[in-house]
Amino acid sequence: MKQNLDLAPVGNCSVSALIDRCGRYVWACAPRVDGDPVFSALMDGDDPEHGFWEVCLADLKDVEQAYIKNTPVLRTVLTDTNGSAVEIIDFAPRHHKHHRTYRPVAFGRIIRPISGAPRICVRLRPSADWGARRAEATSGSNHIRYHCTDLTLRLTTDCPVSHILEERTFRLETPLAFFLGPDEGYDQEVGPGVAATLDRTVVYWKDWVRTLYIPLDFQDAVIRAAITLKLCAYEETGAIVAAMTTSVPEFPESGRNWDYRFCWIRDAYYTVRALNRLGAVDILENYLVYLRNLVDNSAGGHIQPVYGVGLEADLSERIVDSVEGYRGMKPVRVGNQAHEHLQHDVYGQIVLPLVQSFYDQRLIRPGSVEDFCALEAVGDRAYALHDQPDAGLWEFRTIARVHTYSSVMCWAACDRLAKAADALGLADRAEVWSQRADTIRARVEAEAYIPEEGRFGASFGGRELDASLLQLVDLGFLDPMDPRQVATFNAIERDLKKGPYLFRYVEPDDFGEPETAFNFCTFWFIEALHLNGRTAEAREIFEQMLSRRTHAGLLSEDIALGTDELWGNYPQTYSLVGIINCAVLLSRSWTDVR
């Protein structure tokens, strides 16, 4: 079976898995999203011997798959050549229990016959040691223990255990329930217990979606993006990961295979900002806790661009040879060297979401003067580093420049601190931060502006372009109709737009010339088109981007020209943020249906 990214995630903000079109688990890490994969088939060629969980229907003819509406609960229907069919329901439990949210490191699965006399085989083969071997199994009368690398998973089921251990084909005559989770006893009848957990999980997600403020148009796309962004949150600490996977290449044989299962300050900033537009304050609040801990831990010093979901600073990068890689394309990386980088935009991306806490009266814990004083240390770093070289938001490994985007983010940090100080009645501090913001603005306008072209460059003194210059409007640094911004937009459209898509940049980097477009940048371009009065064009490209989504309604990081094939890690939070932002911007108003 050829690997592709047409996968559907299930999860509960504690653990997640990716399931293919036939209902096969092909990727899941436990006990955390950045842990050792217990299902590793996605990274192990086209015919792996283990690392999956599948239900094989004899004489399979047809497959249908879709989510239960407004949930991450997945329904797959397999039909054989005689018309016999089975239904597979997959989910990760999440619901209220004992006055808290129940979200175990566990997956639930129910298999039901829905017509005829289907014959199935359940093949459950977790992996261990980063896919190097099949997890050892021991069994009891109603359970099987799988001894993976960092934990032991226990399958409790009302299916005959020997059917699973022997991978026996049998007739499915009654519903079967499976609970794959912690190595502890299941204290209730498994069939009714899993069914009740499923029902409560469906109710939880439908209730959560009901709290969202969504646009009139593109509702299905926005809801699916919002649910999946929530699945990328590690609720225990408030971290938000950039993607659920590692090492899906940006394009074939590129070597651009990165581990995205960590919390980038930049990605998380864009994520909470998009969800805030929908009113999803729960994710914002939890992420602010994560940020405040990072600020405290830094003690006014260096802040990395990326951390582990448990606030870990050391994400040492290594290459594993135990799996073949996505479509056999190595390397497979664990960890990310970006934790060593200097990326000065992170100071702005910490300040901007935290400043909201000084204004937002919905928050259970609003920002205090003490919080502001702690945040000023981050602003001090932004001011000190606004004109210093860094790796930039695209994380160049061997190229250091004073990147315009990083400098403008440092300006935004000072600008927002001035506004926050004013809101808190700290007039003297407001004056200090306002003056600092003015100083940075003057430096950017002097060093990044190219007078003979009337536009900005991507670095101080440089002429190169990158798509991040479109963010000068979003950050409030320039008005969209400022002639300098219009000229910058025109240059970006001329040089970075390929077909309907936008590249981050086109100049060679550490790995040569890019060959795929970056989906988030295309969404930035759509926003810029709209702000430049070209809304019809913006809507046309947005519709094209929506058509490129997987059947699960999601996008990865990159897209190939010509074939429109998705590449890069999946599902990518940046890309889902783009869907939400553009949908909100381009939708008709609710007043249009009065």
Side-chain angles (χ1 to χ4, degrees):
M1 183 182 298
K2 184 178 179 181
Q3 293 171 325
N4 61 62
L5 294 181
D6 196 10
L7 307 171
V10 297
N12 62 4
C13 305
S14 181
V15 68
S16 58
L18 295 175
I19 299 175
D20 72 11
R21 289 296 294 267
C22 291
R24 181 176 70 154
Y25 280 66
V26 297
W27 184 255
C29 298
R32 301 191 330 190
V33 66
D34 56 357
D36 196 286
V38 295
F39 295 115
S40 57
L42 182 67
M43 283 291 127
D44 208 12
D46 291 336
D47 189 24
E49 294 184 358
H50 54 259
F52 57 83
W53 184 8
E54 66 181 349
V55 178
C56 303
L57 176 66
D59 302 315
L60 177 67
K61 179 183 179 182
D62 186 53
V63 180
E64 297 178 8
Q65 189 178 76
Y67 285 111
I68 293 176
K69 184 179 179 180
N70 292 354
T71 77
V73 176
L74 190 66
R75 179 177 183 266
T76 307
V77 176
L78 308 178
T79 305
D80 69 17
T81 54
N82 297 315
S84 298
V86 300
E87 173 190 69
I88 308 168
I89 305 294
D90 287 300
F91 68 102
R94 181 179 175 87
H95 57 81
H96 300 299
K97 182 178 180 180
H98 302 315
H99 304 288
R100 62 181 182 228
T101 301
Y102 175 64
R103 43 172 172 76
V105 178
F107 301 102
R109 169 167 265 187
I110 297 174
I111 308 174
R112 301 182 180 119
I114 54 178
S115 66
R119 290 174 55 77
I120 68 168
C121 172
V122 178
R123 299 205 300 166
L124 176 51
R125 299 183 182 181
S127 55
D129 295 340
W130 245 101
R133 60 181 176 83
R134 185 172 172 177
E136 179 186 354
T138 56
S139 62
S141 56
N142 297 103
H143 71 267
I144 305 172
R145 287 188 177 93
Y146 295 96
H147 304 282
C148 302
T149 306
D150 297 321
L151 79 169
T152 295
L153 289 173
R154 178 179 177 128
L155 177 74
T156 304
T157 181
D158 52 8
C159 176
V161 168
S162 65
H163 284 1
I164 301 170
L165 291 172
E166 301 297 327
E167 296 185 352
R168 184 180 297 133
T169 299
F170 62 96
R171 179 184 287 196
L172 181 67
E173 296 185 338
T174 59
L176 298 176
F178 303 81
F179 188 87
L180 182 66
D183 185 21
E184 53 193 43
Y186 194 82
D187 60 357
Q188 56 189 307
E189 190 176 349
V190 63
V194 174
T197 299
L198 168 63
D199 290 343
R200 288 193 287 267
T201 298
V202 169
V203 169
Y204 170 87
W205 285 103
K206 289 189 173 183
D207 282 347
W208 184 76
V209 169
R210 285 178 58 243
T211 68
L212 301 179
Y213 178 79
I214 58 174
L216 174 60
D217 299 323
F218 316 113
Q219 291 187 31
D220 288 343
V222 169
I223 289 171
R224 183 53 51 199
I227 288 173
T228 308
L229 287 177
K230 186 172 173 69
L231 295 185
C232 289
Y234 185 68
E235 195 166 67
E236 184 170 293
T237 63
I240 300 170
V241 298
M244 295 178 183
T245 59
T246 178
S247 301
V248 180
E250 293 181 14
F251 53 87
E253 306 295 353
S254 64
R256 301 170 188 260
N257 303 23
W258 315 117
D259 192 347
Y260 277 7
R261 301 170 302 151
F262 307 112
C263 183
W264 268 262
I265 305 304
R266 180 186 311 111
D267 301 50
Y269 156 70
Y270 281 110
T271 296
V272 296
R273 189 168 177 272
L275 289 173
N276 200 39
R277 288 181 170 179
L278 305 181
V281 71
D282 57 330
I283 300 175
L284 169 67
E285 281 190 302
N286 213 24
Y287 179 61
L288 294 184
V289 173
Y290 184 84
L291 282 186
R292 283 193 287 264
N293 278 305
L294 286 184
V295 171
D296 288 349
N297 292 345
S298 72
H302 170 64
I303 295 178
Q304 298 173 187
V306 57
Y307 290 85
V309 298
L311 296 160
E312 296 87 0
D314 186 1
L315 305 178
S316 297
E317 185 177 298
R318 61 188 175 91
I319 293 174
V320 298
D321 294 317
S322 48
V323 287
E324 293 301 313
Y326 180 75
R327 297 192 186 174
M329 297 178 191
K330 292 185 175 182
V332 175
R333 290 186 171 94
V334 179
N336 200 299
Q337 189 217 353
H339 80 281
E340 301 174 0
H341 289 185
L342 300 177
Q343 295 177 29
H344 303 325
D345 57 310
V346 299
Y347 298 104
Q349 285 140 359
I350 286 178
V351 169
L352 267 60
L354 281 170
V355 160
Q356 182 171 335
S357 68
F358 303 117
Y359 296 91
D360 196 334
Q361 297 187 32
R362 298 172 300 169
L363 303 182
I364 294 173
R365 187 207 182 277
S368 65
V369 172
E370 290 75 18
D371 291 331
F372 177 81
C373 293
L375 197 55
E376 283 193 295
V378 179
D380 288 338
R381 292 285 294 177
Y383 183 66
L385 297 170
H386 74 271
D387 58 356
Q388 299 301 303
D390 72 351
L393 82 162
W394 307 127
E395 301 185 336
F396 298 119
R397 294 198 167 198
T398 61
I399 301 171
R401 299 170 176 148
V402 182
H403 289 91
T404 305
Y405 175 84
S406 296
S407 295
V408 172
M409 263 296 179
C410 290
W411 166 84
C414 297
D415 178 73
R416 301 321 191 264
L417 283 170
K419 291 179 171 62
D422 187 62
L424 292 169
L426 305 174
D428 56 334
R429 302 310 300 163
E431 179 64 22
V432 168
W433 289 111
S434 181
Q435 289 177 0
R436 288 183 170 186
D438 290 343
T439 298
I440 298 175
R441 171 182 283 278
R443 190 71 188 276
V444 172
E445 291 178 336
E447 300 289 347
Y449 185 62
I450 306 171
E452 59 271 27
E453 296 185 41
R455 68 168 179 89
F456 285 91
S459 65
F460 282 17
R463 309 185 72 88
E464 75 280 1
L465 287 163
D466 80 47
S468 66
L469 293 171
L470 296 175
Q471 290 292 284
L472 270 59
V473 171
D474 189 70
L475 291 169
F477 190 82
L478 291 177
D479 183 87
M481 290 296 102
D482 186 309
R484 298 171 297 175
Q485 181 63 22
V486 173
T488 303
F489 168 77
N490 290 338
I492 287 173
E493 181 175 24
R494 180 193 67 220
D495 292 352
L496 302 187
K497 184 172 179 285
K498 311 293 182 183
Y501 310 126
L502 203 73
F503 277 56
R504 288 173 290 184
Y505 49 86
V506 292
E507 62 174 349
D509 60 16
D510 312 304
F511 292 83
E513 293 184 6
E515 295 184 16
T516 48
F518 197 76
N519 290 327
F520 195 29
C521 294
T522 300
F523 288 118
W524 282 351
F525 181 71
I526 292 168
E527 293 181 55
L529 277 173
H530 172 71
L531 294 173
N532 278 268
R534 296 161 59 182
T535 300
E537 291 176 66
R539 197 176 180 101
E540 180 181 353
I541 298 176
F542 184 54
E543 295 280 7
Q544 289 185 59
M545 289 299 293
L546 292 182
S547 74
R548 306 298 185 240
R549 294 174 299 156
T550 62
H551 80 288
L554 307 174
L555 288 168
S556 66
E557 182 180 42
D558 306 276
I559 194 165
L561 301 180
T563 65
D564 297 325
E565 185 173 9
L566 296 178
W567 290 91
N569 285 305
Y570 176 90
Q572 177 73 11
T573 53
Y574 265 159
S575 300
L576 304 182
V577 164
I579 291 173
I580 292 173
N581 289 344
C582 289
V584 170
L585 196 65
L586 298 175
S587 174
R588 294 170 296 161
S589 168
W590 281 99
T591 59
D592 293 340
V593 294
R594 286 185 301 184

